[in-house]
Amino acid sequence: MPKAPTISNQQARNLALRAQGFQDQFTSLAEVLATTQVFQLDSVNVFERAHLLPAFSRMGAYPLAEFENWAFAQPEVTEYWAHCAALITKADWALFDFKRSRTLAREDLQMVFKSQAKLIDWVRSELTQNGPMTVSQFEHDQNKRKGSWWGWSEVKLLLEQLHDCGLLVSAGRTKFSRRYALPEQVELPTPTLGAEEQKQELVRKSVKALGVGTLEDITDYFRFRSHETKPILAQLIEAGEVVEVSVSGWEKPGYALATEDLERGFEIGERQVRLLSPFDPITWHRDRALRLYDFDYKIEIYTPEAKRKYGYYTLPILYRDRLVGRVDLKNDRKAKALNVLSLWSELWLTKSELKAITPELVKELKLAANWVGAETLNPPSKGNWALGRV
């Protein structure tokens, strides 16, 4: 077996950023999704919801109404537990049939469905009669929120379980509430690949989307099980589709598509700074972000306020090929103001680097303000990075 080629961590970053489309000129949301493979869904809208951000990061201030129509009102895409709950292409929905079948075959779920048979029949009859429905449109004694945290009702929990195994599907969303539908009510492709072929295609897509990644990175992309990913990678290597790569500073081998130019550079283009979603593929895997960018990122939503270091919902800041800081934004929709609650630079940045980056960051923040309809951009009151007058 030939020796694995060695590349620098810089070359690995180049591969990762190119694979995620940061040097491309996108003209549609569909093009961005075809590159990232998933838009992870999230309900927090203190700035804007996380699934709206990957396209903004890559293509700029697109119309938010366009996303709403494309993803939810008259959806050209669909939803599934692909990474976490995520938007995916309808074509890719067929690739997760093995996961839906595996979920449906679980003994514990079969027991639930057996005990809830009457409720399931009622749900199906409601959908047959009314078409796709949100959870609030189901009127039933068991459709009452309970407890803490998510507080899901029995009906909501059952709808989610039916959705996870494909007995129900998504027909879009209304005010971010999923519209559940019977499979025959939504046009989705019939799977044509067997279970093992589906897995292989998803691993292939993971490697492509990462540029270069470890076994753990690849496994995480579509939330596989590592014992499933390893033999599939071996098959792709044997077939000449994937190559093992040694990355300087990485303790474990990386893997890239054999067609990749491992030495090709990266140029982010005129828009030098990009704001990223907390759930962008660049930063969603904490170990990978630390390994590639020396950037230790943790979202602090679930951290008590007194213990937060940076802020409630900080967005990573990408400058060219480096993650240089994080910004906590709040969109005050009533006042039409985008408030920079806090702004933090990485400690390794020099004063001269900060001076060069700051005007580019201001441009990006003004673009973000324009995108969300804010007329005022208010500078930070907390952090170690001053913007000056904006």
Side-chain angles (χ1 to χ4, degrees):
M1 179 180 290
K3 185 180 179 181
T6 298
I7 62 173
S8 66
N9 198 65
Q10 174 66 62
Q11 288 171 315
R13 285 203 304 273
N14 293 345
L15 283 166
L17 291 166
R18 286 206 320 269
Q20 282 293 313
F22 282 98
Q23 68 175 19
D24 297 332
Q25 298 294 316
F26 292 107
T27 59
S28 71
L29 296 166
E31 288 179 0
V32 181
L33 182 59
T35 299
T36 63
Q37 309 292 339
V38 298
F39 289 161
Q40 184 173 329
L41 290 160
D42 190 71
S43 61
V44 177
N45 67 346
V46 62
F47 168 52
E48 277 298 345
R49 290 188 169 111
H51 46 274
L52 300 169
L53 276 162
F56 172 75
S57 303
R58 291 156 177 81
M59 66 187 294
Y62 66 88
L64 287 168
E66 179 183 331
F67 192 102
E68 178 68 25
N69 189 63
W70 174 78
F72 301 133
Q74 296 178 307
E76 297 177 31
V77 293
T78 192
E79 297 180 31
Y80 194 62
W81 199 267
H83 177 72
C84 291
L87 293 169
I88 58 174
T89 67
K90 288 186 176 181
D92 282 355
W93 185 85
L95 296 176
F96 291 92
D97 189 61
F98 79 94
K99 187 179 283 191
R100 290 188 291 273
S101 298
R102 185 166 65 195
T103 302
L104 182 59
R106 277 174 28 201
E107 186 176 345
D108 61 330
L109 201 58
Q110 284 297 317
M111 291 177 64
V112 169
F113 289 169
K114 186 176 180 179
S115 66
Q116 298 275 31
K118 287 185 178 180
L119 186 56
I120 292 172
D121 287 343
W122 174 78
V123 165
R124 286 180 172 174
S125 68
E126 288 291 293
L127 291 171
T128 299
Q129 181 176 338
N130 302 317
M133 299 167 63
T134 64
V135 65
S136 64
Q137 291 174 310
F138 288 92
E139 295 184 2
H140 193 277
D141 289 342
Q142 290 168 278
N143 191 20
K144 295 178 182 177
R145 292 173 65 86
K146 58 181 70 174
S148 58
W149 200 236
W150 294 105
W152 283 358
S153 67
E154 286 187 32
V155 171
K156 171 63 174 176
L157 181 59
L158 182 63
L159 290 170
E160 287 296 306
Q161 290 169 325
L162 292 168
H163 178 264
D164 286 350
C165 63
L167 296 179
L168 293 181
V169 298
S170 172
R173 290 186 176 232
T174 300
K175 295 182 179 179
F176 201 62
S177 181
R178 182 186 291 127
R179 297 197 304 273
Y180 297 91
L182 299 169
E184 58 267 26
Q185 293 172 326
V186 177
E187 188 176 342
L188 289 168
T190 301
T192 57
L193 300 177
E196 293 307 310
E197 293 172 304
Q198 291 167 25
K199 293 176 189 178
Q200 189 177 82
E201 180 60 18
L202 287 171
V203 170
R204 190 181 287 117
K205 281 176 172 285
S206 300
V207 177
K208 181 180 180 181
L210 290 164
V212 60
T214 63
L215 171 65
E216 290 76 16
D217 296 338
I218 296 163
T219 296
D220 177 71
Y221 209 88
F222 289 119
R223 294 293 167 89
F224 268 46
R225 299 166 178 173
S226 57
H227 68 80
E228 291 178 308
T229 311
K230 192 171 183 178
I232 294 172
L233 269 178
Q235 293 166 10
L236 293 174
I237 291 171
E238 186 176 353
E241 293 187 54
V242 169
V243 292
E244 183 177 310
V245 178
S246 177
V247 182
S248 299
W250 289 21
E251 295 178 357
K252 298 178 181 180
Y255 302 91
L257 292 182
T259 53
E260 282 284 5
D261 181 351
L262 300 179
E263 298 181 0
R264 185 179 165 197
F266 167 78
E267 293 291 338
I268 199 168
E270 184 177 346
R271 192 172 148 221
Q272 301 271 290
V273 167
R274 313 292 178 92
L275 302 180
L276 304 183
S277 160
F279 306 121
D280 194 286
I282 292 293
T283 51
W284 69 22
H285 190 356
R286 189 175 183 181
D287 175 71
R288 178 174 169 84
L290 186 60
R291 186 178 354 112
L292 264 178
Y293 305 97
D294 193 24
F295 189 75
D296 190 12
Y297 180 68
K298 177 186 177 183
I299 191 168
E300 295 183 298
I301 284 178
Y302 308 114
T303 302
E305 185 174 0
K307 295 183 178 181
R308 288 178 194 144
K309 185 176 181 181
Y310 298 110
Y312 177 73
Y313 198 72
T314 56
L315 310 182
I317 300 169
L318 176 69
Y319 172 67
R320 297 181 178 173
D321 64 344
R322 298 180 297 171
L323 292 170
V324 296
R326 58 206 90 197
V327 59
D328 192 18
L329 297 177
K330 181 177 178 61
N331 181 9
D332 187 337
R333 293 166 176 84
K334 187 175 290 187
K336 292 190 175 181
L338 182 60
N339 299 319
V340 183
L341 300 180
S342 66
L343 177 63
W344 303 88
S345 67
E346 293 297 279
L347 296 178
W348 50 263
L349 281 170
T350 65
K351 288 184 179 180
S352 61
E353 286 174 320
L354 276 173
K355 186 176 180 180
I357 298 170
T358 298
E360 298 299 325
L361 174 59
V362 170
K363 286 182 191 176
E364 182 73 0
L365 289 169
K366 287 182 175 179
L367 183 68
N370 178 66
W371 179 53
V372 300
E375 297 173 357
T376 304
L377 175 65
N378 293 319
S381 57
K382 185 178 180 181
N384 66 353
W385 190 345
L387 287 179
R389 295 182 63 182
V390 295

